[in-house]
């Protein structure tokens, strides 16, 4: 038999900076700003979809974007310091759109005729639902219940889950890029060209600028190109969808943004609480917990760290619950989860440094208070971000599939579990998505709106469906006989904090806090 020249490797070998190593300060600051630019896409898209439906004005939308960025910076800093300590950006999540749409369509809110008043009352209802629902993650995290559940995970079970964290976001890739192909296609080709074909070209000293800063370079070039198209009147008589996607002066972002605005808790007024709204929102909290778990696994691999032990995973989920509580207190219009695109950026730049993400959190907080400056960056057309998503979501998906190297993929049992969980993880949410209408009706459509929102949210999440299928099958089909085939001999040492000596290096709390919160 031929020698295996590509044996399984616990850590990726061609990354240049791991979680605890840092590039020189100029590179670190530029990389941090690159992370900030990347997460602007989701931070602008979500309020753009929701605020006007709530009755808000352009000024309200800008204020929500500022608040979302401000809280994202706080949550990212808390997660990097006290949570999993992985270089993961925490930002707004699309997982919350279905329950938020249910709240927006609530008859008691729709009866309010004044648009501004309806926006304020809807925002307060969303805040109340987020505050109550955040208790799910706080309890499951700090009680270590999620860590205990994670003991049922194996490389075989996690491979499709992490894979679907990337693959399941395909609708935010080429479908959005296709809304403005004259911007999106050049952006996609330029990113691939610079980051892959020209990555070894070093025009400035020994810094691989095309590999380190492809987002900054490509966004700047295509953004200037799109500004020229907008100024020349290329989209003057185009359909509304085209103008919304292509123009750089869309919806008065810059003109309505204040020069300075400091977001603060309860800025929209006291939250209102409804049992139905809260139950609906809990589904999104559960989905964000599953998706974040997969993103943490991918981030650990791209940061050359060990997979986060159960204790660290629970700690991160607990802090994420605190983050959702902050979302509710400040009024960000949506809850938080780990930004998948920023996880992919770790691999694209080959830099998994924690410090980079911590400084990027500072950029989020700083620019969120300077409204005009933040609005300028937020005017970047959506197809530019969609082109980046095509590369970065695909990279995260491939990182998930790399866990299969620790399993026996010559086993029919493993092939069935992997194939079924991947297929159903894509197919079931797509089936639910087909029934989604502008009237916020989903496949599950009973008289109980909160129940509809709960199930439609759960089964519209590829990662959640994939986890249900993969973890169930992996822990019920020939479990004892298949321990080695599932990859458990490699995985078991990462279940506990003290199972591997490297865990202490990667995940120990700063400021000697482990004295007060000893790992279990």
């Amino acid at each position: 038999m031929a020698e295996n020249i590509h044996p399984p490797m616990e850590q990726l070998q061609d990354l240049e900076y791991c979680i605890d190593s840092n590039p020189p300060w100029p590179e670190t600051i530029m990389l941090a700003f690159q992370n900030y630019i990347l997460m602007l896409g989701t931070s602008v898209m979500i309020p753009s979809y929701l605020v006007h439906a709530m009755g808000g004005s352009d000024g309200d939308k800008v204020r929500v974007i500022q608040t979302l960025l401000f809280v994202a910076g706080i949550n990212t800093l808390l997660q990097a310091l006290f949570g999993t300590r992985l270089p993961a950006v925490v930002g707004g999540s699309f997982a919350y759109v279905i329950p938020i749409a249910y709240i927006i369509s609530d008859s008691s809110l729709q009866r309010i005729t004044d648009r501004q008043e309806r926006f304020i009352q809807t925002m307060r209802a969303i805040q109340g639902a987020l505050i109550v629902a955040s208790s799910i993650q706080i309890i499951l995290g700090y009680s270590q219940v999620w860590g205990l559940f994670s003991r049922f995970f194996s490389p075989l079970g996690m491979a499709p889950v992490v894979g679907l964290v990337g693959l399941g976001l395909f609708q935010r890739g080429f479908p959005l890029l296709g809304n403005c192909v004259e911007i999106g296609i050049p952006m996609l080709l330029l990113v691939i060209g610079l980051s892959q074909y020209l990555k070894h070209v070093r025009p400035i000293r020994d810094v691989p600028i095309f590999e380190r800063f492809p987002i900054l370079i490509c966004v700047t070039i295509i953004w200037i190109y799109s500004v020229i198209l907008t100024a020349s009147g290329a989209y003057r008589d185009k359909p509304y969808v085209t103008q919304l996607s292509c123009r750089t002066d869309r919806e008065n972002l810059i003109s309505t943004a204040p020069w300075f605005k400091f977001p603060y808790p309860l800025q929209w007024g006291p939250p209102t609480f409804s049992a139905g709204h809260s139950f609906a929102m809990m589904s999104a909290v559960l989905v964000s917990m599953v998706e974040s778990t997969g993103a943490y696994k991918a981030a650990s691999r791209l940061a050359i760290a060990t997979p986060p032990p159960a204790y660290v995973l629970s700690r991160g989920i607990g802090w994420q619950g605190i983050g959702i509580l902050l979302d509710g207190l400040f009024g960000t219009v949506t809850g938080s989860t780990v930004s998948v695109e920023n996880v992919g950026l770790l691999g694209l730049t080959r830099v998994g440094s924690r410090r980079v993400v911590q400084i990027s959190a500072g950029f989020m907080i700083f620019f969120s208070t300077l409204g005009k400056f933040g609005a300028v960056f937020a005017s970047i057309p959506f197809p530019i971000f969609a082109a980046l998503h095509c590369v970065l979501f695909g990279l995260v998906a491939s990182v998930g599939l790399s866990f299969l190297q620790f399993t026996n993929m010559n086993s029919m049992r493993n092939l069935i579990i992997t194939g079924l969980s991947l297929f159903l993880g894509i197919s079931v949410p797509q089936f639910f998505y087909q029934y989604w209408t502008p009237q916020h009706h989903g496949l599950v459509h009973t008289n109980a709106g909160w129940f509809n929102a709960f199930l439609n949210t759960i089964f519209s999440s590829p990662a959640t469906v994939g986890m249900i299928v993969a973890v169930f099958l992996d822990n019920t089909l020939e479990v004892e006989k298949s321990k080695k085939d599932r990859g458990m001999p490699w995985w078991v040492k990462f279940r506990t904090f003290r199972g591997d000596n490297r865990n202490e290096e990667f995940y120990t709390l700063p400021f000697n806090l482990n004295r007060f919160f000893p790992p279990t």
Side-chain angles (χ1 to χ4, degrees):
M1 182 178 294
E3 181 184 356
N4 182 7
I5 60 173
H6 301 294
M9 303 188 75
E10 290 185 354
Q11 296 173 309
L12 298 175
Q13 299 300 300
D14 51 354
L15 300 175
E16 295 194 25
Y17 294 96
C18 73
I19 187 171
D20 285 326
S21 60
N22 304 303
W25 275 108
E27 284 187 49
T28 297
I29 293 172
M30 293 293 287
L31 287 164
F33 186 69
Q34 188 168 241
N35 269 277
Y36 162 73
I37 291 294
L38 180 59
M39 67 94 57
L40 279 176
T42 299
S43 300
V44 174
M45 283 182 198
I46 295 176
S48 296
Y49 290 153
L50 297 175
V51 169
H52 287 166
M54 295 163 62
S57 63
D58 289 339
D60 293 323
K61 184 180 70 174
V62 170
R63 191 174 170 190
V64 171
I65 292 171
Q66 286 181 271
T67 304
L68 182 56
L69 283 170
F70 183 82
V71 178
I74 295 175
N75 289 338
T76 299
L77 204 55
L78 290 175
Q79 193 64 240
L81 285 173
F82 308 115
T84 59
R85 307 217 67 215
L86 288 166
V89 172
V90 179
S93 171
F94 277 91
Y96 292 81
V97 168
I98 293 178
I100 290 172
Y102 157 67
I103 295 173
I104 292 173
S105 62
D106 190 299
S107 58
S108 64
L109 295 170
Q110 287 298 314
R111 282 196 293 268
I112 302 174
T113 55
D114 183 83
R115 287 183 60 86
Q116 184 64 27
E117 179 64 19
R118 186 167 82 248
F119 168 76
I120 293 295
Q121 295 302 325
T122 304
M123 176 64 81
R124 292 176 180 178
I126 293 171
Q127 287 182 261
L130 285 170
I131 290 171
V132 174
S134 67
S135 62
I136 296 293
Q137 283 200 12
I138 293 173
I139 293 170
L140 291 178
Y142 291 125
S143 68
Q144 297 295 314
V145 170
W146 189 247
L148 292 174
F149 177 70
S150 72
R151 294 176 184 271
F152 292 100
F153 299 165
S154 72
L156 182 68
M158 280 293 99
V161 174
V162 180
L164 288 166
V165 166
L167 294 175
L169 298 172
F170 67 91
Q171 292 187 2
R172 285 168 54 191
F174 209 87
L176 285 181
L177 182 155
N179 289 335
C180 193
V181 291
E182 63 268 30
I183 291 175
I185 293 293
M187 181 66 186
L188 179 60
L189 296 177
L190 193 60
V191 170
I192 295 173
L194 261 62
S195 65
Q196 303 306 310
Y197 291 97
L198 298 179
K199 62 183 178 182
H200 297 301
V201 177
R202 305 191 176 193
I204 302 177
R205 297 180 182 177
D206 292 327
V207 181
I209 61 170
F210 296 136
E211 182 179 59
R212 286 284 187 274
F213 313 112
I215 307 298
L216 290 181
I217 297 171
C218 297
V219 166
T220 300
I221 294 172
I222 303 300
W223 191 12
I224 293 172
Y225 167 58
S226 60
V227 168
I228 294 172
L229 289 177
T230 300
S232 65
Y235 305 112
R236 189 167 298 147
D237 300 318
K238 298 296 182 181
Y240 175 73
V241 173
T242 302
Q243 295 201 36
L244 181 64
S245 299
C246 302
R247 296 183 69 96
T248 57
D249 58 353
R250 62 179 187 276
E251 298 195 37
N252 306 316
L253 273 180
I254 299 174
S255 61
T256 56
W259 281 103
F260 179 82
K261 184 72 176 180
F262 194 86
Y264 56 91
L266 306 183
Q267 59 186 333
W268 311 104
T272 57
F273 299 92
S274 163
H277 295 169
S278 299
F279 277 116
M281 194 66 76
M282 285 178 185
S283 62
V285 170
L286 292 172
V287 165
S288 73
M289 186 164 57
V290 172
E291 293 178 349
S292 292
T293 298
Y296 288 139
K297 299 289 185 183
S300 66
R301 192 151 176 77
L302 289 171
I304 323 181
T306 55
Y311 166 77
V312 173
L313 200 57
S314 278
R315 191 173 71 194
I317 292 301
W319 275 105
Q320 191 170 308
I322 297 294
I324 296 171
L325 177 62
L326 293 176
D327 291 328
L329 290 174
F330 279 82
T332 61
V333 91
T334 187
S336 298
T337 192
V338 176
S339 171
V340 178
E341 53 266 44
N342 288 85
V343 172
L345 186 59
L346 302 178
L348 189 68
T349 60
R350 302 174 193 264
V351 177
S353 169
R354 183 190 294 125
R355 179 183 290 172
V356 168
V357 168
Q358 291 171 337
I359 295 176
S360 74
F363 279 118
M364 295 174 212
I365 295 171
F366 177 74
F367 282 110
S368 66
T369 60
L370 299 179
K372 293 290 185 185
F373 290 99
V376 169
F377 295 122
S379 69
I380 300 171
F382 292 152
I384 290 180
F385 293 106
L388 296 173
H389 293 167
C390 291
V391 177
L392 300 174
F393 290 163
L395 181 54
V396 172
S398 64
V399 170
L401 297 180
S402 74
F403 283 110
L404 292 175
Q405 66 182 303
F406 307 110
T407 69
N408 177 14
M409 290 312 290
N410 291 314
S411 162
M412 282 305 303
R413 171 193 180 276
N414 290 1
L415 290 173
I416 289 172
I417 292 173
T418 303
L420 194 59
S421 55
L422 281 172
F423 186 83
L424 291 180
I426 295 175
S427 186
V428 171
Q430 183 64 20
F431 178 62
F432 273 72
Y433 180 78
Q434 289 175 355
Y435 285 84
W436 182 256
T437 67
Q439 291 74 35
H440 312 307
H441 295 165
L443 180 63
V444 181
H445 188 52
T446 67
N447 291 329
W450 64 268
F451 180 76
N452 303 337
F454 193 97
L455 288 187
N456 285 326
T457 301
I458 294 293
F459 290 103
S460 294
S461 166
T464 305
V465 174
M467 176 174 279
I468 292 171
V469 176
V471 174
F472 176 79
L473 293 178
D474 190 36
N475 287 277
T476 55
L477 289 178
E478 303 175 339
V479 181
E480 289 301 320
K481 189 192 304 183
S482 306
K483 278 187 177 180
K484 189 173 182 180
D485 288 347
R486 299 167 64 204
M488 293 309 292
W490 171 75
W491 188 265
V492 69
K493 62 184 176 182
F494 302 120
R495 282 183 167 184
T496 61
F497 191 86
R498 305 195 188 282
D500 190 288
N501 292 332
R502 293 168 294 178
N503 290 339
E504 186 172 354
E505 174 190 352
F506 299 137
Y507 300 115
T508 296
L509 291 172
F511 315 122
N512 208 17
L513 289 175
N514 276 62
R515 291 184 304 166
F516 307 102
F517 306 100
T520 55

